[in-house]
Amino acid sequence: MALPTQTHLEAARSGTPACTRRRFIRLVPMGAALWLPVAHGKPKLAAPPDPSTFAHLNERDPHAKAVGYVEDVARVDRRVYPKFTAGSTCDNCALYRVPAQAWSECTLFPRKLVAAKGWCDAYVRRSPSQPT
Ligand code: SF4
């Protein structure tokens, strides 16, 4: 049997239970058990938005107009955008997210879909080594 420590003697004199290491070790799991339901009740992070629910980018959107976006590359005004070259379309632009799709996200227009056969003045040809 262990001899009483100074802590035990002081606790006995004051009438309060001693805060010993053994008592502390017993209380820690109980405290954790009390916090468990609270931790499970924490709100979870929202799921990322589903791109298939995004609206098509409107050509009249001020940001789209600023870069001359058109849904159909045949309507590019070559006098206004002389850097346009035949064969340049959104689906071979580095900013087009999924080239295999008719409509996809573009880095320039978050949460909007642009047409694969579209074009804008921010066009950058996709590198053949760029992952899709
Ligand atoms: Fe299309 Fe590229 Fe312009 Fe986006 S940046 S609208 S993908 S041409």
Side-chain angles (χ1 to χ4, degrees), residues 49-51 54 90-101 103-108 112-114 126 130-132:
D50 178 6
F54 294 164
C90 288
D91 65 353
N92 59 36
C93 173
L95 304 182
Y96 196 71
R97 186 104 183 267
V98 187
Q101 293 181 351
W103 291 85
S104 182
E105 296 166 87
C106 164
T107 312
L108 210 57
K112 296 282 182 188
L113 299 176
V114 298
R126 177 182 292 270
Q130 182 178 340
T132 54

PDB file of all heavy atoms in Angstrom, residues 49-51 54 90-101 103-108 112-114 126 130-132:
ATOM      1  N   PRO A  49     -20.053  21.815 -55.860  1.00  0.00           N
ATOM      2  CA  PRO A  49     -21.216  21.915 -56.742  1.00  0.00           C
ATOM      3  C   PRO A  49     -21.081  20.994 -57.954  1.00  0.00           C
ATOM      4  O   PRO A  49     -19.976  20.717 -58.410  1.00  0.00           O
ATOM      5  CB  PRO A  49     -21.220  23.384 -57.160  1.00  0.00           C
ATOM      6  CG  PRO A  49     -19.848  23.867 -56.903  1.00  0.00           C
ATOM      7  CD  PRO A  49     -19.273  23.043 -55.796  1.00  0.00           C
ATOM      8  N   ASP A  50     -22.212  20.538 -58.454  1.00  0.00           N
ATOM      9  CA  ASP A  50     -22.243  19.654 -59.618  1.00  0.00           C
ATOM     10  C   ASP A  50     -22.193  20.523 -60.875  1.00  0.00           C
ATOM     11  O   ASP A  50     -23.135  21.275 -61.154  1.00  0.00           O
ATOM     12  CB  ASP A  50     -23.530  18.831 -59.570  1.00  0.00           C
ATOM     13  CG  ASP A  50     -23.680  17.922 -60.772  1.00  0.00           C
ATOM     14  OD1 ASP A  50     -22.740  17.845 -61.580  1.00  0.00           O
ATOM     15  OD2 ASP A  50     -24.747  17.293 -60.885  1.00  0.00           O
ATOM     16  N   PRO A  51     -21.110  20.441 -61.678  1.00  0.00           N
ATOM     17  CA  PRO A  51     -20.983  21.289 -62.869  1.00  0.00           C
ATOM     18  C   PRO A  51     -22.123  21.116 -63.867  1.00  0.00           C
ATOM     19  O   PRO A  51     -22.434  22.039 -64.610  1.00  0.00           O
ATOM     20  CB  PRO A  51     -19.649  20.854 -63.486  1.00  0.00           C
ATOM     21  CG  PRO A  51     -18.906  20.218 -62.383  1.00  0.00           C
ATOM     22  CD  PRO A  51     -19.926  19.605 -61.481  1.00  0.00           C
ATOM     23  N   PHE A  54     -24.665  23.865 -63.805  1.00  0.00           N
ATOM     24  CA  PHE A  54     -24.288  25.251 -64.129  1.00  0.00           C
ATOM     25  C   PHE A  54     -25.028  25.715 -65.384  1.00  0.00           C
ATOM     26  O   PHE A  54     -25.265  24.949 -66.312  1.00  0.00           O
ATOM     27  CB  PHE A  54     -22.776  25.367 -64.355  1.00  0.00           C
ATOM     28  CG  PHE A  54     -21.933  25.097 -63.126  1.00  0.00           C
ATOM     29  CD1 PHE A  54     -20.579  24.849 -63.257  1.00  0.00           C
ATOM     30  CD2 PHE A  54     -22.477  25.091 -61.862  1.00  0.00           C
ATOM     31  CE1 PHE A  54     -19.787  24.595 -62.148  1.00  0.00           C
ATOM     32  CE2 PHE A  54     -21.712  24.838 -60.734  1.00  0.00           C
ATOM     33  CZ  PHE A  54     -20.352  24.593 -60.883  1.00  0.00           C
ATOM     34  N   CYS A  90     -13.281  26.628 -78.261  1.00  0.00           N
ATOM     35  CA  CYS A  90     -13.179  26.401 -76.820  1.00  0.00           C
ATOM     36  C   CYS A  90     -12.669  24.987 -76.504  1.00  0.00           C
ATOM     37  O   CYS A  90     -11.864  24.817 -75.587  1.00  0.00           O
ATOM     38  CB  CYS A  90     -14.527  26.627 -76.145  1.00  0.00           C
ATOM     39  SG  CYS A  90     -15.020  28.362 -76.047  1.00  0.00           S
ATOM     40  N   ASP A  91     -13.117  23.994 -77.253  1.00  0.00           N
ATOM     41  CA  ASP A  91     -12.731  22.619 -76.890  1.00  0.00           C
ATOM     42  C   ASP A  91     -11.245  22.320 -77.114  1.00  0.00           C
ATOM     43  O   ASP A  91     -10.757  21.297 -76.638  1.00  0.00           O
ATOM     44  CB  ASP A  91     -13.631  21.569 -77.543  1.00  0.00           C
ATOM     45  CG  ASP A  91     -13.533  21.522 -79.051  1.00  0.00           C
ATOM     46  OD1 ASP A  91     -12.857  22.403 -79.634  1.00  0.00           O
ATOM     47  OD2 ASP A  91     -14.129  20.613 -79.637  1.00  0.00           O
ATOM     48  N   ASN A  92     -10.515  23.207 -77.808  1.00  0.00           N
ATOM     49  CA  ASN A  92      -9.061  23.004 -77.867  1.00  0.00           C
ATOM     50  C   ASN A  92      -8.310  24.153 -77.179  1.00  0.00           C
ATOM     51  O   ASN A  92      -7.126  24.375 -77.414  1.00  0.00           O
ATOM     52  CB  ASN A  92      -8.560  22.750 -79.297  1.00  0.00           C
ATOM     53  CG  ASN A  92      -8.880  23.882 -80.246  1.00  0.00           C
ATOM     54  OD1 ASN A  92      -8.850  25.042 -79.857  1.00  0.00           O
ATOM     55  ND2 ASN A  92      -9.189  23.542 -81.489  1.00  0.00           N
ATOM     56  N   CYS A  93      -9.042  24.856 -76.320  1.00  0.00           N
ATOM     57  CA  CYS A  93      -8.450  25.941 -75.518  1.00  0.00           C
ATOM     58  C   CYS A  93      -7.958  25.351 -74.193  1.00  0.00           C
ATOM     59  O   CYS A  93      -8.585  24.449 -73.627  1.00  0.00           O
ATOM     60  CB  CYS A  93      -9.506  27.019 -75.246  1.00  0.00           C
ATOM     61  SG  CYS A  93      -8.955  28.311 -74.117  1.00  0.00           S
ATOM     62  N   ALA A  94      -6.859  25.877 -73.717  1.00  0.00           N
ATOM     63  CA  ALA A  94      -6.266  25.386 -72.462  1.00  0.00           C
ATOM     64  C   ALA A  94      -7.170  25.631 -71.255  1.00  0.00           C
ATOM     65  O   ALA A  94      -7.040  24.960 -70.237  1.00  0.00           O
ATOM     66  CB  ALA A  94      -4.924  26.053 -72.235  1.00  0.00           C
ATOM     67  N   LEU A  95      -8.107  26.577 -71.369  1.00  0.00           N
ATOM     68  CA  LEU A  95      -8.969  26.906 -70.230  1.00  0.00           C
ATOM     69  C   LEU A  95     -10.267  26.100 -70.214  1.00  0.00           C
ATOM     70  O   LEU A  95     -11.053  26.203 -69.272  1.00  0.00           O
ATOM     71  CB  LEU A  95      -9.291  28.407 -70.229  1.00  0.00           C
ATOM     72  CG  LEU A  95      -8.082  29.343 -70.217  1.00  0.00           C
ATOM     73  CD1 LEU A  95      -8.530  30.784 -70.179  1.00  0.00           C
ATOM     74  CD2 LEU A  95      -7.167  29.039 -69.055  1.00  0.00           C
ATOM     75  N   TYR A  96     -10.502  25.324 -71.269  1.00  0.00           N
ATOM     76  CA  TYR A  96     -11.720  24.497 -71.344  1.00  0.00           C
ATOM     77  C   TYR A  96     -11.485  23.239 -70.527  1.00  0.00           C
ATOM     78  O   TYR A  96     -10.489  22.539 -70.716  1.00  0.00           O
ATOM     79  CB  TYR A  96     -11.997  24.152 -72.806  1.00  0.00           C
ATOM     80  CG  TYR A  96     -13.391  23.648 -73.096  1.00  0.00           C
ATOM     81  CD1 TYR A  96     -14.480  24.496 -73.039  1.00  0.00           C
ATOM     82  CD2 TYR A  96     -13.608  22.324 -73.469  1.00  0.00           C
ATOM     83  CE1 TYR A  96     -15.764  24.050 -73.328  1.00  0.00           C
ATOM     84  CE2 TYR A  96     -14.885  21.865 -73.764  1.00  0.00           C
ATOM     85  CZ  TYR A  96     -15.964  22.733 -73.691  1.00  0.00           C
ATOM     86  OH  TYR A  96     -17.225  22.285 -73.987  1.00  0.00           O
ATOM     87  N   ARG A  97     -12.400  22.929 -69.636  1.00  0.00           N
ATOM     88  CA  ARG A  97     -12.163  21.869 -68.648  1.00  0.00           C
ATOM     89  C   ARG A  97     -12.243  20.450 -69.212  1.00  0.00           C
ATOM     90  O   ARG A  97     -11.339  19.657 -69.015  1.00  0.00           O
ATOM     91  CB  ARG A  97     -13.174  22.034 -67.513  1.00  0.00           C
ATOM     92  CG  ARG A  97     -12.960  21.103 -66.368  1.00  0.00           C
ATOM     93  CD  ARG A  97     -12.343  21.822 -65.205  1.00  0.00           C
ATOM     94  NE  ARG A  97     -12.077  20.893 -64.137  1.00  0.00           N
ATOM     95  CZ  ARG A  97     -12.922  20.656 -63.137  1.00  0.00           C
ATOM     96  NH1 ARG A  97     -14.057  21.283 -63.101  1.00  0.00           N
ATOM     97  NH2 ARG A  97     -12.601  19.802 -62.208  1.00  0.00           N
ATOM     98  N   VAL A  98     -13.319  20.117 -69.911  1.00  0.00           N
ATOM     99  CA  VAL A  98     -13.495  18.735 -70.392  1.00  0.00           C
ATOM    100  C   VAL A  98     -13.719  18.759 -71.902  1.00  0.00           C
ATOM    101  O   VAL A  98     -14.854  18.906 -72.370  1.00  0.00           O
ATOM    102  CB  VAL A  98     -14.679  18.041 -69.681  1.00  0.00           C
ATOM    103  CG1 VAL A  98     -14.742  16.569 -70.070  1.00  0.00           C
ATOM    104  CG2 VAL A  98     -14.588  18.199 -68.172  1.00  0.00           C
ATOM    105  N   PRO A  99     -12.655  18.624 -72.697  1.00  0.00           N
ATOM    106  CA  PRO A  99     -12.766  18.738 -74.158  1.00  0.00           C
ATOM    107  C   PRO A  99     -13.769  17.784 -74.805  1.00  0.00           C
ATOM    108  O   PRO A  99     -14.303  18.078 -75.856  1.00  0.00           O
ATOM    109  CB  PRO A  99     -11.342  18.448 -74.645  1.00  0.00           C
ATOM    110  CG  PRO A  99     -10.475  18.777 -73.492  1.00  0.00           C
ATOM    111  CD  PRO A  99     -11.276  18.452 -72.277  1.00  0.00           C
ATOM    112  N   ALA A 100     -14.057  16.652 -74.207  1.00  0.00           N
ATOM    113  CA  ALA A 100     -14.974  15.682 -74.816  1.00  0.00           C
ATOM    114  C   ALA A 100     -16.436  16.115 -74.707  1.00  0.00           C
ATOM    115  O   ALA A 100     -17.297  15.510 -75.337  1.00  0.00           O
ATOM    116  CB  ALA A 100     -14.788  14.323 -74.155  1.00  0.00           C
ATOM    117  N   GLN A 101     -16.720  17.145 -73.954  1.00  0.00           N
ATOM    118  CA  GLN A 101     -18.112  17.566 -73.740  1.00  0.00           C
ATOM    119  C   GLN A 101     -18.491  18.747 -74.631  1.00  0.00           C
ATOM    120  O   GLN A 101     -17.653  19.596 -74.931  1.00  0.00           O
ATOM    121  CB  GLN A 101     -18.319  17.978 -72.275  1.00  0.00           C
ATOM    122  CG  GLN A 101     -18.205  16.819 -71.317  1.00  0.00           C
ATOM    123  CD  GLN A 101     -18.430  17.250 -69.866  1.00  0.00           C
ATOM    124  OE1 GLN A 101     -18.499  18.436 -69.560  1.00  0.00           O
ATOM    125  NE2 GLN A 101     -18.527  16.269 -68.999  1.00  0.00           N
ATOM    126  N   TRP A 103     -20.512  21.119 -73.787  1.00  0.00           N
ATOM    127  CA  TRP A 103     -20.498  22.289 -72.907  1.00  0.00           C
ATOM    128  C   TRP A 103     -19.635  21.934 -71.706  1.00  0.00           C
ATOM    129  O   TRP A 103     -19.757  20.837 -71.168  1.00  0.00           O
ATOM    130  CB  TRP A 103     -21.901  22.649 -72.421  1.00  0.00           C
ATOM    131  CG  TRP A 103     -22.788  23.172 -73.508  1.00  0.00           C
ATOM    132  CD1 TRP A 103     -23.531  22.439 -74.381  1.00  0.00           C
ATOM    133  CD2 TRP A 103     -22.996  24.543 -73.855  1.00  0.00           C
ATOM    134  NE1 TRP A 103     -24.194  23.264 -75.233  1.00  0.00           N
ATOM    135  CE2 TRP A 103     -23.896  24.571 -74.929  1.00  0.00           C
ATOM    136  CE3 TRP A 103     -22.517  25.752 -73.348  1.00  0.00           C
ATOM    137  CZ2 TRP A 103     -24.322  25.750 -75.521  1.00  0.00           C
ATOM    138  CZ3 TRP A 103     -22.954  26.933 -73.933  1.00  0.00           C
ATOM    139  CH2 TRP A 103     -23.843  26.928 -75.006  1.00  0.00           C
ATOM    140  N   SER A 104     -18.773  22.839 -71.283  1.00  0.00           N
ATOM    141  CA  SER A 104     -17.932  22.550 -70.134  1.00  0.00           C
ATOM    142  C   SER A 104     -17.556  23.841 -69.422  1.00  0.00           C
ATOM    143  O   SER A 104     -17.795  24.939 -69.926  1.00  0.00           O
ATOM    144  CB  SER A 104     -16.679  21.793 -70.579  1.00  0.00           C
ATOM    145  OG  SER A 104     -15.880  21.476 -69.447  1.00  0.00           O
ATOM    146  N   GLU A 105     -16.950  23.685 -68.256  1.00  0.00           N
ATOM    147  CA  GLU A 105     -16.497  24.839 -67.507  1.00  0.00           C
ATOM    148  C   GLU A 105     -15.274  25.453 -68.178  1.00  0.00           C
ATOM    149  O   GLU A 105     -14.505  24.755 -68.825  1.00  0.00           O
ATOM    150  CB  GLU A 105     -16.094  24.411 -66.106  1.00  0.00           C
ATOM    151  CG  GLU A 105     -17.210  23.863 -65.267  1.00  0.00           C
ATOM    152  CD  GLU A 105     -16.660  23.155 -64.052  1.00  0.00           C
ATOM    153  OE1 GLU A 105     -16.429  23.823 -63.052  1.00  0.00           O
ATOM    154  OE2 GLU A 105     -16.442  21.938 -64.151  1.00  0.00           O
ATOM    155  N   CYS A 106     -15.146  26.747 -68.001  1.00  0.00           N
ATOM    156  CA  CYS A 106     -13.973  27.478 -68.489  1.00  0.00           C
ATOM    157  C   CYS A 106     -13.417  28.211 -67.280  1.00  0.00           C
ATOM    158  O   CYS A 106     -14.182  28.807 -66.513  1.00  0.00           O
ATOM    159  CB  CYS A 106     -14.389  28.461 -69.574  1.00  0.00           C
ATOM    160  SG  CYS A 106     -13.149  29.722 -69.913  1.00  0.00           S
ATOM    161  N   THR A 107     -12.122  28.178 -67.125  1.00  0.00           N
ATOM    162  CA  THR A 107     -11.479  28.825 -65.979  1.00  0.00           C
ATOM    163  C   THR A 107     -11.829  30.311 -65.900  1.00  0.00           C
ATOM    164  O   THR A 107     -11.925  30.880 -64.816  1.00  0.00           O
ATOM    165  CB  THR A 107      -9.953  28.656 -66.079  1.00  0.00           C
ATOM    166  OG1 THR A 107      -9.670  27.295 -66.350  1.00  0.00           O
ATOM    167  CG2 THR A 107      -9.259  29.084 -64.818  1.00  0.00           C
ATOM    168  N   LEU A 108     -12.081  30.899 -67.045  1.00  0.00           N
ATOM    169  CA  LEU A 108     -12.378  32.333 -67.099  1.00  0.00           C
ATOM    170  C   LEU A 108     -13.764  32.676 -66.550  1.00  0.00           C
ATOM    171  O   LEU A 108     -13.991  33.788 -66.073  1.00  0.00           O
ATOM    172  CB  LEU A 108     -12.296  32.779 -68.564  1.00  0.00           C
ATOM    173  CG  LEU A 108     -11.892  34.194 -68.884  1.00  0.00           C
ATOM    174  CD1 LEU A 108     -10.544  34.520 -68.294  1.00  0.00           C
ATOM    175  CD2 LEU A 108     -11.890  34.402 -70.382  1.00  0.00           C
ATOM    176  N   LYS A 112     -20.058  28.594 -64.792  1.00  0.00           N
ATOM    177  CA  LYS A 112     -20.804  28.745 -66.046  1.00  0.00           C
ATOM    178  C   LYS A 112     -20.250  27.706 -67.001  1.00  0.00           C
ATOM    179  O   LYS A 112     -19.114  27.234 -66.865  1.00  0.00           O
ATOM    180  CB  LYS A 112     -20.590  30.140 -66.656  1.00  0.00           C
ATOM    181  CG  LYS A 112     -21.101  31.274 -65.824  1.00  0.00           C
ATOM    182  CD  LYS A 112     -22.598  31.417 -65.948  1.00  0.00           C
ATOM    183  CE  LYS A 112     -23.081  32.604 -65.133  1.00  0.00           C
ATOM    184  NZ  LYS A 112     -24.510  32.679 -65.063  1.00  0.00           N
ATOM    185  N   LEU A 113     -21.054  27.366 -68.017  1.00  0.00           N
ATOM    186  CA  LEU A 113     -20.589  26.431 -69.046  1.00  0.00           C
ATOM    187  C   LEU A 113     -20.451  27.190 -70.353  1.00  0.00           C
ATOM    188  O   LEU A 113     -21.311  27.992 -70.706  1.00  0.00           O
ATOM    189  CB  LEU A 113     -21.583  25.279 -69.209  1.00  0.00           C
ATOM    190  CG  LEU A 113     -21.813  24.415 -67.960  1.00  0.00           C
ATOM    191  CD1 LEU A 113     -22.891  23.368 -68.235  1.00  0.00           C
ATOM    192  CD2 LEU A 113     -20.521  23.738 -67.519  1.00  0.00           C
ATOM    193  N   VAL A 114     -19.360  26.921 -71.063  1.00  0.00           N
ATOM    194  CA  VAL A 114     -19.164  27.539 -72.380  1.00  0.00           C
ATOM    195  C   VAL A 114     -19.270  26.436 -73.432  1.00  0.00           C
ATOM    196  O   VAL A 114     -19.056  25.257 -73.156  1.00  0.00           O
ATOM    197  CB  VAL A 114     -17.811  28.287 -72.477  1.00  0.00           C
ATOM    198  CG1 VAL A 114     -17.758  29.420 -71.470  1.00  0.00           C
ATOM    199  CG2 VAL A 114     -16.634  27.350 -72.291  1.00  0.00           C
ATOM    200  N   ARG A 126      -4.573  24.687 -76.391  1.00  0.00           N
ATOM    201  CA  ARG A 126      -4.243  23.617 -75.440  1.00  0.00           C
ATOM    202  C   ARG A 126      -2.992  22.890 -75.923  1.00  0.00           C
ATOM    203  O   ARG A 126      -2.865  22.543 -77.084  1.00  0.00           O
ATOM    204  CB  ARG A 126      -5.404  22.619 -75.373  1.00  0.00           C
ATOM    205  CG  ARG A 126      -5.162  21.423 -74.466  1.00  0.00           C
ATOM    206  CD  ARG A 126      -6.353  20.492 -74.532  1.00  0.00           C
ATOM    207  NE  ARG A 126      -7.540  21.090 -73.932  1.00  0.00           N
ATOM    208  CZ  ARG A 126      -7.852  20.960 -72.652  1.00  0.00           C
ATOM    209  NH1 ARG A 126      -7.095  20.243 -71.838  1.00  0.00           N
ATOM    210  NH2 ARG A 126      -8.912  21.536 -72.183  1.00  0.00           N
ATOM    211  N   GLN A 130      -1.065  18.667 -72.239  1.00  0.00           N
ATOM    212  CA  GLN A 130      -1.916  19.112 -71.122  1.00  0.00           C
ATOM    213  C   GLN A 130      -2.905  18.019 -70.751  1.00  0.00           C
ATOM    214  O   GLN A 130      -3.607  17.501 -71.608  1.00  0.00           O
ATOM    215  CB  GLN A 130      -2.667  20.392 -71.510  1.00  0.00           C
ATOM    216  CG  GLN A 130      -3.523  20.937 -70.381  1.00  0.00           C
ATOM    217  CD  GLN A 130      -4.211  22.238 -70.782  1.00  0.00           C
ATOM    218  OE1 GLN A 130      -3.798  22.913 -71.720  1.00  0.00           O
ATOM    219  NE2 GLN A 130      -5.259  22.598 -70.066  1.00  0.00           N
ATOM    220  N   PRO A 131      -2.967  17.671 -69.469  1.00  0.00           N
ATOM    221  CA  PRO A 131      -3.935  16.648 -69.057  1.00  0.00           C
ATOM    222  C   PRO A 131      -5.362  17.129 -69.252  1.00  0.00           C
ATOM    223  O   PRO A 131      -5.637  18.324 -69.111  1.00  0.00           O
ATOM    224  CB  PRO A 131      -3.625  16.426 -67.584  1.00  0.00           C
ATOM    225  CG  PRO A 131      -2.900  17.637 -67.143  1.00  0.00           C
ATOM    226  CD  PRO A 131      -2.224  18.211 -68.356  1.00  0.00           C
ATOM    227  N   THR A 132      -6.261  16.221 -69.575  1.00  0.00           N
ATOM    228  CA  THR A 132      -7.663  16.608 -69.772  1.00  0.00           C
ATOM    229  C   THR A 132      -8.490  16.236 -68.574  1.00  0.00           C
ATOM    230  O   THR A 132      -8.129  15.454 -67.768  1.00  0.00           O
ATOM    231  CB  THR A 132      -8.269  15.931 -71.008  1.00  0.00           C
ATOM    232  OG1 THR A 132      -8.078  14.526 -70.887  1.00  0.00           O
ATOM    233  CG2 THR A 132      -7.624  16.453 -72.255  1.00  0.00           C
TER     234      THR A 132
END
